[in-house]
Amino acid sequence: MARRLPIYILIDASGSMHGKAIQEVKNGLETLLESLQQDPYALGTVWLSLISYGREARVLVPLTELDLFALPKIDAPQTAPTNLGEGLELLLEQYDKEVVKGSAERKGDWLPILVVMTDGVPTDVKLYKETAQKIATATPRDGAPSETAQAKYRFGRVVACAAGPEAKAEVLKDFADEVVELERMDGPSFAAFCQFVSDTIGYCSQAPTREPQELPPPPPGMRFV
Amino acid sequence: MPAAPSDDRLQRRPDAALKLQFSLRSSAISPRERQAFQASLDGLRLPKARVGTPYEARIELGATLRQSAPEVRDAEFALVRDAGFAEIGLTPRLDDDVLLLAGTPTSETTDAPLELEIYVDEEPFATVALPWGVRPDLWSLWKNLPSPSGPYPVEDQASQAVGVPRTDKLVLAAGRRGRSHEHRGQFREDAFAVKIGAPGGWNFFAVADGAGSAKFSRQGAKLACETVVDRLALRFELSYRQGEIPSPLFSERRRRARPDDAPTYALYDGTNAPPALVAVFHCALYETFMRVVAERDARNQTLPPGERPAQLRDFYSTLLCCAVRKYRSGWAILSYWVGDGAFAIYGPGGDSSQVVSLGEPDGGEFAGQTRFFTSKSEIALEPIQRRFRAVVLRDFDALVMATDGVADPYFEVADDLRSPRKWQDFWNLRGPGDLFDGVFEREIAPDERARRLLEGLRFKVPDNHDDRALLLLLNPDRFADAPASRR
């Protein structure tokens, strides 16, 4: 078994995403997948998982080798809260099950990459705060080095996308080391975000331990928080 | 710059009409249930296939039907006809109520959908189009872009063959830029160095792998190798002169008196080997470390405007190095290893069923977290003692030094490096395109062997595209027959 680079993508499937918005997400992911599946380096190492959250969180696709990943149908109901806390909780369960740590018998995975998109704010605030604290990135946030030592779930990169006027980028900084703000949740904006994610993954799959400041710049029109 | 289309692409089938026609027979399936069945099939998603990669997809007809029509119990499926699959190397078949699509695709298709034509009781009922296709061969996606311009240029490949005087053994060394670096037009970061016939009859070898995340690691690896073999040579010479190289391990006089005393092999680490030997390595490693520090300082003296000052971590590299000497009654091999890769003596004492690993590869909890030579914490007595090995042995089949680009594909975990079986598999890699393809043939010149080894470093193992460096000290004739057939 080769070293894997696990990528977890969390998709907002709350009521506000119903209809066109979720379709745009699907289109964006399709393009993302298409581009990654032509990158021989990513093909050798990337494994993808897709999780949706709304009223409840669901594993749409468990961690799957990039080349065998087929995008499922993704729906958002007409009404559902934004239970991001539940989404993160399920993510961490999957992390426990799927991410391989190194041992004498087996090479460990690269530190996973987490991508979270939302167009709102977490409605399950308490659970959200709890789970967000358990997520540690390779680089400490806000110069707080002790945090990474405590947090159990280590990630190489955590990128969050706050899409549309309702989303609060500040809130997502609880767990993400990079928050990308999209002014609107429309096709072109989300496509640009997916391109950014694709670049990040492509870059990380080539050198998963590379320092974050050397990451490719985000596409124009995208604000960093 | 877009890559020129590969030959595979020319086999593209623009009119690929891929059809699977199957029939469903059942005594009691209502029109509504048929509709639901069709809708469920429509929601199925198959992974796409790839030329040259074994493929198997399962279309769960039975399970899908049971979800849509739980009441129907007597459903029978039959595969009526398929079109287009034989041409691309796939065979559809029905396994009870699962439609299987298996084989190794031989040519690409456009991303035209796969059409599932459903017949119910002999009557055409509906067609479902599933997104599908056969993608180009994985290996055809790799580009080979030239290395960039920039400080510390290195050759994309290197090889060397040199005999060790007064022994039956030959050094074969080769290093090659990995596919990943070729694809992105980046430098090779592995290095090796060989110093033969130093005063005192010692020979010195080094192999290093620059850290992928460090921007001048190619230079770190190169300096580490070149400096350490020089410094070891110097330190050994000094110690000899001062009478510091101790006799108990290597005493010629003692062996001559009692030749049977020569151990088949004996292994020491830095805690029970004579301290003077560890000290020789400590000094040489310290000097090598300081050479890298000097390089960093030199770089910062003439820093281009806007560039952040170089740090030691920019030169991070692993290091495997050793001192080897032939005595009348046997061999002494002293080694030091920090980082990952493989460093081993195969067939110690002439016993091909054994292997001695000259340390432990440093692997972290997660992949890519290895240790590097130019970490301050490594240049101290305790870590050097821990990483030091001294081996005295009557003979051996091969000394192997490899970076992880060569080791990882064949020795997936640390335990494998101590498995004689894994090592025999390693020496048996001599099919077309394999690592040792043609390397051990009888009656060829050393240079030709090194050239073939360099070519062999192109070997294709999925997911292994790192830079590769391999240094062997062996008698090729002993490997002319594969180890398994020698037994």
Side-chain angles (χ1 to χ4, degrees):
Chain A
M1 172 61 74
R3 297 171 172 185
R4 310 181 305 175
L5 173 60
I7 317 277
Y8 286 93
I9 301 180
L10 265 66
I11 292 300
D12 188 341
S14 62
S16 55
M17 292 292 292
H18 177 75
K20 197 159 180 306
I22 199 80
Q23 190 55 42
E24 300 295 3
V25 168
K26 201 178 161 243
N27 294 346
L29 290 176
E30 217 152 62
T31 316
L32 168 71
L33 208 56
E34 201 57 46
S35 113
L36 285 177
Q37 284 173 340
Q38 286 170 28
D39 175 349
Y41 210 90
L43 281 168
T45 112
V46 168
W47 286 55
L48 278 174
S49 170
L50 196 60
I51 293 173
S52 72
Y53 63 92
R55 188 172 305 284
E56 68 270 328
R58 284 172 56 205
V59 178
L60 298 179
V61 184
L63 202 60
T64 302
E65 202 178 336
L66 172 59
D67 213 18
L68 299 180
F69 190 97
L71 202 61
K73 288 202 159 172
I74 307 173
D75 298 311
Q78 282 187 1
T79 56
T82 309
N83 288 337
L84 178 53
E86 280 198 32
L88 293 178
E89 193 177 41
L90 181 59
L91 159 78
L92 299 184
E93 274 175 35
Q94 293 297 105
Y95 187 117
D96 277 332
K97 272 194 268 182
E98 295 173 333
V99 176
V100 178
K101 294 185 175 182
S103 66
E105 292 77 41
R106 189 167 173 189
K107 288 250 156 122
D109 291 335
W110 301 107
L111 283 175
I113 294 177
L114 173 59
V115 180
V116 176
M117 73 80 41
T118 184
D119 74 339
V121 288
T123 36
D124 52 349
V125 181
K126 186 163 170 290
L127 183 62
Y128 167 72
K129 289 276 180 199
E130 275 171 29
T131 46
Q133 274 184 355
K134 295 184 186 165
I135 294 174
T137 54
T139 46
R141 290 188 289 273
D142 298 318
S146 60
E147 179 196 38
T148 48
Q150 288 162 9
K152 181 180 167 199
Y153 297 91
R154 298 182 59 202
F155 287 86
R157 310 276 304 149
V158 180
V159 181
C161 168
E166 301 301 318
K168 295 275 182 295
E170 277 308 312
V171 176
L172 298 176
K173 286 181 83 180
D174 284 345
F175 66 94
D177 47 7
E178 229 162 78
V179 181
V180 172
E181 272 189 293
L182 303 182
E183 281 176 19
R184 285 180 311 173
M185 179 55 233
D186 61 8
S189 306
F190 195 70
F193 175 68
C194 285
Q195 183 59 49
F196 170 67
V197 170
S198 166
D199 289 347
T200 304
I201 294 173
Y203 195 84
C204 290
S205 69
Q206 192 227 338
T209 55
R210 194 172 294 239
E211 290 169 27
Q213 64 261 34
E214 291 176 321
L215 278 170
M222 187 161 300
R223 279 197 292 144
F224 273 80
V225 182
Chain B
M1 186 182 68
S6 70
D7 290 341
D8 294 332
R9 278 164 209 276
L10 302 177
Q11 299 168 25
R12 186 182 282 274
R13 298 163 37 83
D15 57 341
L18 297 162
K19 286 194 200 339
L20 280 175
Q21 210 175 70
F22 73 93
S23 72
L24 161 64
R25 187 189 292 276
S26 164
S27 61
I29 181 164
S30 69
R32 210 169 52 83
E33 288 167 331
R34 291 181 195 186
Q35 301 281 353
F37 179 48
Q38 183 200 344
S40 302
L41 286 177
D42 195 38
L44 290 180
R45 288 296 172 263
L46 304 180
K48 293 185 180 179
R50 196 171 278 288
V51 172
T53 304
Y55 180 81
E56 187 185 279
R58 298 166 61 85
I59 306 174
E60 305 270 356
L61 297 178
T64 309
L65 180 66
R66 281 190 293 279
Q67 270 174 15
S68 328
E71 305 297 314
V72 174
R73 305 204 183 269
D74 63 345
E76 273 180 42
F77 292 96
L79 181 61
V80 182
R81 199 174 71 88
D82 69 84
F85 290 98
E87 289 92 326
I88 56 172
L90 289 178
T91 318
R93 71 187 164 87
L94 194 68
D95 181 9
D96 192 16
D97 61 359
V98 179
L99 201 48
L100 284 167
L101 193 52
T104 301
T106 49
S107 61
E108 242 177 282
T109 70
T110 54
D111 280 349
L114 187 163
E115 290 176 9
L116 274 182
E117 295 178 355
I118 311 164
Y119 280 60
V120 178
D121 295 334
E122 318 283 311
E123 292 295 313
F125 167 64
T127 298
V128 169
L130 302 178
W132 197 75
V134 181
R135 297 197 169 91
D137 188 318
L138 267 183
W139 299 105
S140 73
L141 300 175
W142 293 98
K143 300 175 210 163
N144 187 353
L145 305 179
S147 297
S149 56
Y152 309 126
V154 289
E155 294 292 318
D156 291 342
Q157 59 184 58
S159 68
Q160 192 176 355
V162 49
V164 180
R166 291 182 294 281
T167 75
D168 66 336
K169 299 208 187 343
L170 175 72
V171 181
L172 288 176
R176 167 179 289 286
R177 189 160 70 131
R179 232 166 246 116
S180 62
H181 284 161
E182 287 180 350
H183 186 69
R184 313 228 168 194
Q186 292 168 334
F187 287 113
R188 173 168 72 108
E189 292 169 342
D190 280 4
F192 65 83
V194 176
K195 194 175 180 78
I196 291 288
W202 287 88
N203 307 288
F204 303 96
F205 311 122
V207 165
D209 173 9
S213 53
K215 64 178 176 176
F216 301 134
S217 67
R218 59 187 177 281
Q219 183 69 358
K222 184 168 172 271
L223 280 180
C225 286
E226 288 172 358
T227 313
V228 84
V229 295
D230 273 348
R231 293 293 146 170
L232 278 172
L234 199 68
R235 288 283 153 191
F236 264 81
E237 200 185 340
L238 279 176
S239 296
Y240 257 115
R241 254 188 246 152
Q242 291 164 6
E244 281 175 3
I245 297 287
S247 54
L249 278 179
F250 309 107
S251 164
E252 278 295 298
R253 207 178 316 151
R254 196 168 143 222
R255 296 281 152 66
R256 271 207 298 275
R258 301 175 57 189
D260 293 342
D261 239 20
T264 307
Y265 76 87
L267 174 67
Y268 306 84
D269 66 21
T271 57
N272 57 17
L277 289 178
V278 184
V280 165
F281 270 73
H282 192 166
C283 291
L285 289 166
Y286 178 79
E287 288 173 319
T288 307
F289 174 79
M290 291 310 289
R291 176 69 189 83
V292 179
V293 172
E295 188 70 29
R296 176 204 61 184
D297 295 345
R299 170 115 204 119
N300 288 341
Q301 294 270 314
T302 56
L303 203 63
E307 192 176 312
R308 72 166 169 82
Q311 297 173 289
L312 268 185
R313 59 182 310 138
D314 295 328
F315 295 88
Y316 268 176
S317 152
T318 70
L319 180 61
L320 300 74
C321 61
C322 63
V324 178
R325 190 195 197 282
K326 171 82 170 74
Y327 290 83
R328 196 167 304 171
S329 52
W331 293 77
I333 298 174
L334 313 178
S335 70
Y336 169 86
W337 175 13
V338 59
D340 49 17
F343 198 171
I345 299 173
Y346 176 76
D351 179 356
S352 321
S353 69
Q354 286 204 54
V355 63
V356 179
S357 183
L358 294 172
E360 298 292 325
D362 295 295
E365 194 178 52
F366 285 90
Q369 294 175 324
T370 187
R371 306 283 302 175
F372 299 111
F373 165 65
T374 37
S375 314
K376 251 188 234 160
S377 59
E378 291 296 340
I379 307 299
L381 183 59
E382 192 279 324
I384 290 176
Q385 275 183 330
R386 188 156 35 83
R387 299 177 179 288
F388 177 87
R389 296 289 183 279
V391 190
V392 185
L393 66 182
R394 203 175 279 163
D395 197 10
F396 59 95
D397 287 342
L399 171 70
V400 184
M401 305 169 77
T403 60
D404 62 345
V406 177
D408 282 5
Y410 305 119
F411 303 92
E412 289 180 3
V413 295
D415 282 350
D416 289 350
L417 291 171
R418 288 184 294 270
S419 156
R421 250 211 48 188
K422 288 278 175 188
W423 279 95
Q424 284 176 356
D425 293 346
F426 181 69
W427 298 117
N428 278 316
L429 297 166
R430 31 181 103 195
D434 282 351
L435 175 58
F436 297 123
D437 185 6
V439 172
F440 301 129
E441 271 176 32
R442 289 181 202 278
E443 314 281 324
I444 42 175
D447 282 346
E448 175 61 14
R449 291 190 199 278
R451 202 197 57 75
R452 290 184 186 184
L453 185 62
L454 181 63
E455 191 57 31
L457 287 180
R458 284 186 200 268
F459 65 80
K460 292 176 177 175
V461 172
D463 309 331
N464 285 278
H465 313 297
D466 203 355
D467 293 344
R468 294 163 178 173
L470 176 62
L471 187 149
L472 304 169
L473 173 65
L474 47 64
N475 177 347
D477 290 340
R478 286 199 214 172
F479 289 85
D481 303 314
S485 58
R486 280 198 292 163
R487 328 204 77 213

